[in-house]
Amino acid sequence: MSSPLCLRCLRRSLQPLDHHAASVQRAAFSTTPALGALPPKKKGAANTKPTMRGGSSLKLTKNTRVASGRPPAPGERKALRKRVVLSNTNAIEVRHLQDLTKDLCKDVSALTEAHGKVVGLENETVDAMRALEAFKATQGWNLFRRPAVLVRKETIEMAETLHDAQSKKKTVSKVLYGSRGSGKSVLQLQAMALAQQRGWIVLHFPEAKELTIGHAAYEPVITENGTEYIQPGYTAHLLGNFARANKAVLSKLHLSQQHKLPIPIQPDITLDRFIELGANDPEIAWPIWSAMMIELTAPSKSDKGLQRPPLFVGLDGLDHIMRDSAYLDMDAKPVHAHSLTLVRDFVGLLSGSTKLPNGGMVVAAVSESNRARAPTLDYCLETNSGESKPLWDPYMPQDDRVISAFKNVPVQLINGLSKDEARGIMEYYAQSGMLRSTVTDLLVSETWTLAGNGLIGEVERGSVRMRM
Amino acid sequence: MAPGPVLRVLAFRPARQVLTASRQCAQRPFANGRQYAAATNTPNKLPTAPKGETNGPNTHQQEHVSEEAAKMAEITGGKGPDIDGQGTPVQDILKQDPEALKNAPQIVKDEMKKNSAVSAASGTKTGTRSFSTMARRLQTEVSPSASVADVDPAILSSMTLNSSETALTAGHKFPLPTLPLGPQANKDTRYDPVVQLVTNLIMREGKKATAQRNMSVILTHLRTASAPTYSRARSLLPGAPPASHLPLHPILYLTLAIDSVAPLLRIRNQRGAAGGGVALQIPVPLGLRQRRRIAFNWILDAASKRVNRGSGRDGFATRVAEEIVAVVEGRSGVWEKRAAVHRLATTARSNLTFGARRR
């Protein structure tokens, strides 16, 4: 069959070649006319029937696959696996459930009163968090009527820190680590919800793993640090999430500086429309990302000028970016994760080398499920926690870039809940109809102990999921 | 086997013999003043008896508990158990010893004769009571679990939990359990019986934790999927709750599905019984566990033939859960299997007399 491509200029032919009519007579590169006569029949071949088995492999009737129905489209099965369900219509709606309103977020003393209680997330917050991919499929949101979170001790501390950072216009970095199921990612989500309700701009890297495992396209760029790598497709994806989550705030901000961009941009464009341009076209995603970072980290104008809100930056799965990535450079050597420009920008914010003049907070959480091996990170966490000075194996090279990034970063160990907090969340389970027993001191104490001294993920597993 | 409650009154019973033995072990070395080889750490040196001691083993027995209590009461000035008054009655000794009976006083002889005449007239054998204690024993054990049986299976665990908690009594750190304990109070029966059975049937290659995880996926699916709509064609077990109640009682949901499609009988093929080498089909009634087992295996078969729409490790469990929903909604092919077995059993019921005919 002849190709619709023109072989001389490699362009698609505008008129489709009429190969249905002509292909029988016309051979590709031959002027010889096709033979009209049929090939002569062989003598023996006329009598032999076609055999049941063609080929040399054994074919049984059982082996034939019967294709039934439509095969799944590419990515459909994964989408089903990763689907985040935030509501269970069967669950009982908890009466008198307090909401995490704007007033409650801004008033730390009111939040302190709600300590040990469960508060529901408002629809606006839920939409923003969903856009940022902060909810995860493994977190048990699908069991309850609507998304709600427990106000724990660390939540109140986080609210105080946010209040401080906004009022004093300072940048606070924090790395959350702790056992699996201790609630690091959900605490990060709570911090984001608090920031969003306070009117901050929230930027979130939902899975650091996706940045470094080599599944996203990358290309080298020359910068002042040498060769670094941009990920155009993933950058566009992040920009899209960011624009959707912060539409209300970004639509009030305008582009204030001149940037070198590959496309003409109307001056005084609102930031959300500007970012959407990058989200729609991976080709220009990276220049738009760099321009956006400059805009967001620029100081506010004094008095009546442009006032920029504080910035919250989150990243989940810090262990994946504190090591070599799965990408290879020109010499087929592994690329360090900090040489990826997206990671470089985040690490700059985390370590404090990029300042946030309007105030802000950078929170990174270490992931304990499917954790990447990062010995230097472990060393830094132990050192910065101040509990002990760990020993380093002298025969193993240390990752200097990780060490320098962690120089002044405070780390916070997330432990289990207190028994009062555990009682609060278990009462919520019982009120939702998911825990079918009376919440007594004995039950709380038993669950708390079996859950590794109140790890919230284990409390949920012990009282809802695996309680049969 | 009937699903009768487990006849268990005490979760643990103090083993008396063991306790006394250990007490002896603990005290004997000091009583005898001996040192054992293990204690002296000289394995080559055999233990030697102290000089002048002629006692053999078991000669230094502890006193009887009541003797000890009597002595203690004497010291403290109280009133202990009466040891002297508890001698063997002379009648009992005379019963054992016919020689002594001959020389016994006449009044004793007359009394014994009268007693034996009375017992012979009433027809009671020696060592038996005229009334049965069996019924009373069963009554105390069955009644609490019978009251449990007509409550939701889903809240059984909470009931046992509540029943085990009573008021704190002085001198106890934790509240004492009320006796008799509930059917699930034993340490080995942590889960509902249906859940336990189903988990073991799901298990492959002995991976119990994976099976438990799958079980929790199934129950979570039943919790989160929308409530089933009962079909009119397939009647579930009588007394099934309204469909809207099921998602909040996932174990009841599962139990209802399994028990509703469980066959009452199976067909046993008796080889050569029909003559001419043909097997005779004989219907055999099944016990509750067997019925549930067969029903859930049918559900598993049907689930494995379903198409996996997603990917990942929860695929099979999700398909099983979907099949359970299909059973309750009357869409599942498992109902056909049950009907087929019952039809065959009905036609083969004339073979039930096979054993009797042969005799």
Side-chain angles (χ1 to χ4, degrees):
Chain A
M1 202 183 85
S2 59
S3 154
L5 284 177
C6 169
L7 290 171
R8 198 164 281 176
C9 58
L10 291 172
R11 256 192 205 157
R12 265 172 198 278
S13 159
L14 288 176
Q15 296 159 336
L17 294 171
D18 189 15
H19 52 262
H20 292 293
S23 59
V24 182
Q25 280 84 16
R26 199 168 57 199
F29 292 102
S30 172
T31 53
T32 314
L35 280 172
L38 291 167
K41 282 179 185 174
K42 284 176 187 170
K43 274 183 184 175
N47 296 333
T48 51
K49 287 177 181 176
T51 50
M52 284 292 285
R53 287 194 246 148
S56 58
S57 67
L58 175 65
K59 274 186 192 163
L60 299 171
T61 47
K62 282 178 192 170
N63 289 348
T64 52
R65 276 196 186 180
V66 183
S68 58
R70 178 185 59 87
E76 189 184 321
R77 283 150 56 87
K78 186 184 178 187
L80 205 64
R81 190 174 76 230
K82 299 279 179 191
R83 187 183 47 169
V84 177
V85 181
L86 293 182
S87 173
N88 177 11
T89 47
N90 298 322
I92 302 165
E93 193 158 10
V94 179
R95 271 185 282 169
H96 315 301
L97 185 67
Q98 203 178 353
D99 270 7
L100 193 66
T101 52
K102 288 195 166 88
D103 298 334
L104 189 62
C105 291
K106 283 173 189 165
D107 187 1
V108 178
S109 62
L111 200 64
T112 315
E113 275 172 30
H115 182 203
K117 285 181 194 156
V118 176
V119 292
L121 299 180
E122 288 191 325
N123 285 340
E124 197 186 328
T125 317
V126 171
D127 290 343
M129 295 302 118
R130 196 190 252 287
L132 290 169
E133 299 177 32
F135 295 113
K136 294 193 174 170
T138 52
Q139 280 167 350
W141 304 107
N142 61 340
L143 290 168
F144 305 102
R145 191 63 175 234
R146 48 178 288 218
V149 290
L150 174 74
V151 179
R152 54 193 286 185
K153 193 182 80 217
E154 290 84 356
T155 315
I156 296 165
E157 285 170 10
M158 201 64 94
E160 281 167 0
T161 318
L162 283 169
H163 184 77
D164 259 21
Q166 188 167 17
S167 55
K168 293 174 190 164
K169 292 206 169 184
K170 63 177 185 184
T171 312
V172 184
S173 307
K174 199 174 260 189
V175 172
L176 309 175
Y177 73 108
S179 312
R180 186 177 173 195
S182 56
K184 302 174 290 294
S185 299
V186 175
L187 182 64
Q188 199 181 29
L189 179 136
Q190 291 177 356
M192 280 193 280
L194 290 170
Q196 190 265 346
Q197 290 284 54
R198 280 175 157 272
W200 290 29
I201 301 176
V202 184
L203 174 62
H204 185 48
F205 298 82
E207 278 289 350
K209 191 174 92 175
E210 289 175 9
L211 283 169
T212 56
I213 54 172
H215 286 196
Y218 71 123
E219 58 186 73
V221 285
I222 306 297
T223 60
E224 67 263 28
N225 302 329
T227 311
E228 292 187 312
Y229 299 86
I230 61 170
Q231 292 154 298
Y234 198 74
T235 311
H237 171 70
L238 279 181
L239 284 175
N241 288 356
F242 179 63
R244 260 181 293 133
N246 299 290
K247 198 163 186 68
V249 188
L250 293 177
S251 57
K252 289 173 197 158
L253 298 176
H254 296 268
L255 210 59
S256 63
Q257 297 174 28
Q258 288 290 324
H259 301 283
K260 270 174 85 177
L261 292 169
I263 51 163
I265 297 281
Q266 70 174 84
D268 206 34
I269 188 175
T270 56
L271 265 189
D272 67 320
R273 282 188 55 214
F274 176 66
I275 291 166
E276 272 165 13
L277 288 175
N280 295 333
D281 189 0
E283 294 275 304
I284 55 167
W286 177 249
I288 291 209
W289 173 279
S290 350
M292 178 192 84
M293 291 310 284
I294 293 168
E295 289 287 331
L296 294 179
T297 53
S300 304
K301 299 265 169 60
S302 55
D303 295 339
K304 294 277 179 184
L306 188 61
Q307 290 297 318
R308 291 193 173 85
L311 180 65
F312 184 98
V313 186
L315 179 135
D316 202 354
L318 184 72
D319 36 315
H320 285 274
I321 61 165
M322 291 297 164
R323 66 206 292 259
D324 282 341
S325 73
Y327 292 106
L328 299 179
D329 65 3
M330 295 286 278
D331 306 325
K333 297 245 169 58
V335 172
H336 195 275
H338 292 193
S339 294
L340 303 169
T341 46
L342 283 172
V343 176
R344 177 203 67 192
D345 283 0
F346 176 78
V347 170
L349 289 163
L350 182 74
S351 63
S353 59
T354 312
K355 297 275 182 271
L356 297 175
N358 309 312
M361 191 162 180
V362 186
V363 176
V366 176
S367 167
E368 283 295 334
S369 45
N370 190 20
R371 181 168 179 177
R373 194 172 166 276
T376 317
L377 172 69
D378 298 340
Y379 176 82
C380 291
L381 288 175
E382 209 174 332
T383 313
N384 291 17
S385 67
E387 283 175 8
S388 61
K389 180 74 182 162
L391 290 173
W392 183 260
D393 178 7
Y395 294 100
M396 199 156 66
Q398 239 175 9
D399 195 338
D400 294 335
R401 301 178 77 168
V402 174
I403 294 279
S404 63
F406 261 89
K407 230 164 219 166
N408 295 315
V409 181
V411 298
Q412 187 183 2
L413 176 66
I414 307 297
N415 280 319
L417 304 174
S418 70
K419 281 198 181 171
D420 289 338
E421 289 166 345
R423 193 185 178 97
I425 191 90
M426 284 178 72
E427 274 171 0
Y428 173 73
Y429 295 154
Q431 283 164 354
S432 300
M434 289 296 118
L435 170 61
R436 299 195 56 79
S437 53
T438 324
V439 181
T440 55
D441 280 342
L442 189 71
L443 180 69
V444 172
S445 189
E446 182 189 313
T447 313
W448 183 87
T449 309
L450 289 175
N453 290 5
L455 296 179
I456 185 164
E458 297 293 324
V459 168
E460 187 192 88
R461 181 182 286 181
S463 52
V464 179
R465 286 174 181 274
M466 297 296 272
R467 191 180 173 86
M468 303 161 186
Chain B
M1 200 190 83
V6 187
L7 298 179
R8 190 185 297 120
V9 183
L10 281 171
F12 60 91
R13 186 179 293 131
R16 226 176 305 156
Q17 283 106 13
V18 177
L19 279 177
T20 24
S22 69
R23 224 172 71 181
Q24 284 174 10
C25 288
Q27 294 194 357
R28 273 197 64 175
F30 302 105
N32 285 353
R34 273 185 194 166
Q35 283 187 321
Y36 289 111
T40 50
N41 258 346
T42 47
N44 294 335
K45 213 173 163 187
L46 287 170
T48 51
K51 270 188 179 177
E53 190 178 320
T54 52
N55 291 331
N58 291 332
T59 48
H60 278 288
Q61 289 283 345
Q62 286 286 311
E63 286 170 343
H64 190 267
V65 179
S66 46
E67 287 173 27
E68 198 183 344
K71 276 187 182 174
M72 190 62 87
E74 202 184 326
I75 294 163
T76 53
K79 203 178 173 190
D82 183 14
I83 302 169
D84 303 333
Q86 286 185 352
T88 315
V90 72
Q91 285 87 346
D92 287 7
I93 297 169
L94 291 177
K95 261 186 214 167
Q96 307 283 329
D97 193 353
E99 281 298 319
L101 186 61
K102 280 177 194 165
N103 302 326
Q106 189 59 40
I107 188 165
V108 176
K109 280 183 190 169
D110 286 348
E111 201 181 304
M112 285 185 69
K113 204 179 257 178
K114 205 171 74 184
N115 282 353
S116 64
V118 167
S119 67
S122 64
T124 49
K125 289 174 199 165
T126 48
T128 58
R129 295 185 193 87
S130 56
F131 57 89
S132 166
T133 53
M134 194 66 182
R136 189 177 294 175
R137 238 175 66 209
L138 277 176
Q139 199 183 5
T140 52
E141 284 165 358
V142 170
S143 55
S145 47
S147 69
V148 158
D150 45 15
V151 189
D152 268 345
I155 59 168
L156 264 180
S157 55
S158 66
M159 285 192 60
T160 48
L161 182 95
N162 291 341
S163 68
S164 66
E165 247 186 272
T166 49
L168 265 170
T169 45
H172 293 286
K173 188 174 178 187
F174 295 108
L176 290 175
T178 46
L179 293 174
L181 297 172
Q184 293 193 315
N186 187 285
K187 67 177 171 56
D188 293 330
T189 53
R190 177 180 293 180
Y191 302 116
D192 185 272
V194 175
V195 169
Q196 200 177 0
L197 178 74
V198 167
T199 311
N200 286 344
L201 288 173
I202 292 173
M203 177 162 63
R204 290 284 171 270
E205 301 170 1
K207 294 179 182 171
K208 183 111 176 184
T210 310
Q212 282 170 333
R213 189 196 143 78
N214 282 338
M215 190 69 228
S216 90
V217 171
I218 290 172
L219 293 181
T220 306
H221 186 277
L222 296 182
R223 272 194 191 109
T224 51
S226 55
T229 45
Y230 288 155
S231 107
R232 289 192 180 167
R234 308 284 188 197
S235 57
L236 297 170
L237 275 189
S244 59
H245 288 203
L246 289 180
L248 283 179
H249 300 61
I251 296 173
L252 176 65
Y253 199 157
L254 178 73
T255 313
L256 180 68
I258 291 173
D259 283 353
S260 298
V261 286
L264 294 166
L265 306 138
R266 77 181 169 91
I267 302 295
R268 180 164 64 88
N269 284 321
Q270 183 72 35
R271 284 181 64 199
V278 181
L280 188 67
Q281 293 178 322
I282 302 170
V284 182
L286 293 171
L288 183 72
R289 262 177 72 88
Q290 289 172 312
R291 295 174 54 204
R292 283 177 173 164
R293 183 178 160 274
I294 291 172
F296 194 74
N297 277 335
W298 284 347
I299 292 175
L300 281 182
D301 285 346
S304 62
K305 282 173 193 141
R306 280 178 171 258
V307 179
N308 199 357
R309 287 186 296 111
S311 58
R313 56 188 172 178
D314 294 343
F316 185 66
T318 313
R319 282 184 285 158
V320 172
E322 279 166 359
E323 190 63 34
I324 288 166
V325 177
V327 164
V328 172
E329 292 189 339
R331 293 183 279 110
S332 173
V334 175
W335 286 101
E336 300 298 331
K337 281 193 179 177
R338 178 183 192 256
V341 168
H342 281 194
R343 215 177 298 124
L344 194 56
T346 314
T347 53
R349 67 186 159 187
S350 58
N351 300 337
L352 274 173
T353 55
F354 168 68
R357 264 186 287 149
R358 198 166 56 171
R359 261 185 255 122

